[in-house]
Amino acid sequence: MSTPRLPRALGLDLGAKRIGIAVSAGTVATPVDTVHRCGDRPREHRKITDLVEEWEAEIVVVGLPYNMDGSIGPMAKKYQAEAKVLGDTLDVPVVLYDERLTTVSAERSLMEQNMNAEARRKVVDQVAAAVMLQAWLDSEQAAL
């Protein structure tokens, strides 16, 4: 009998200016890219579609920024709607996952590596996506 495996996943940390992208193949999430918001949502989503195909993702995990009390605020509602649009256009499932404090955690980790502010700004979104995707992978692994 074979051991169940986790699907290859693409993690998205949606933001107002940038979308952090991470990927997993197995049990480890890796930061891979940042999509810069250009005001053209279909174009941004085409870039995500291209990344899904490039990385052969079987699922897309979108970080949802819940409020600290667990409620869904305006930003979370906005990103829920965007995740729905992505789900309607991609050929793979799109799921939502709690991303509270991922950017804070990513920023702290990068500071511990003595990265300057400019260098951190270039990668913090994709690192936040990796932190969120890793948490999702860990929860999925525990459920197997």
Side-chain angles (χ1 to χ4, degrees), residues 7-138:
R8 181 183 297 265
L10 195 75
L12 305 180
D13 179 48
L14 301 176
K17 295 181 180 181
R18 294 172 301 277
I19 303 169
I21 312 288
V23 69
S24 72
T27 59
V28 178
T30 304
V32 293
D33 205 351
T34 302
V35 174
H36 294 272
R37 296 284 195 178
C38 61
D40 182 347
R41 188 66 45 91
R43 181 176 173 191
E44 296 161 1
H45 287 185
R46 279 193 301 277
K47 176 67 175 163
I48 291 168
T49 299
D50 291 346
L51 289 166
V52 167
E53 291 172 7
E54 177 184 342
W55 290 100
E56 299 177 353
E58 299 166 279
I59 190 167
V60 172
V61 182
V62 176
L64 195 63
Y66 289 97
N67 292 325
M68 292 310 293
D69 66 2
S71 64
I72 297 177
M75 288 307 284
K77 287 179 182 175
K78 178 180 175 181
Y79 294 148
Q80 269 183 323
E82 185 171 359
K84 168 120 178 50
V85 171
L86 275 168
D88 291 342
T89 59
L90 294 173
D91 292 332
V92 298
V94 174
V95 298
L96 300 170
Y97 192 76
D98 185 355
E99 67 144 31
R100 279 179 282 186
L101 299 178
T102 56
T103 301
V104 171
S105 176
E107 188 78 38
R108 187 173 297 135
S109 173
L110 294 171
M111 287 174 70
E112 288 171 2
Q113 296 175 42
N114 295 319
M115 290 183 83
N116 66 39
E118 184 179 340
R120 287 195 312 266
R121 200 172 310 111
K122 291 179 181 178
V123 298
V124 69
D125 299 294
Q126 55 188 268
V127 172
V131 169
M132 180 277 303
L133 183 56
Q134 188 64 56
W136 180 83
L137 289 166
D138 293 346

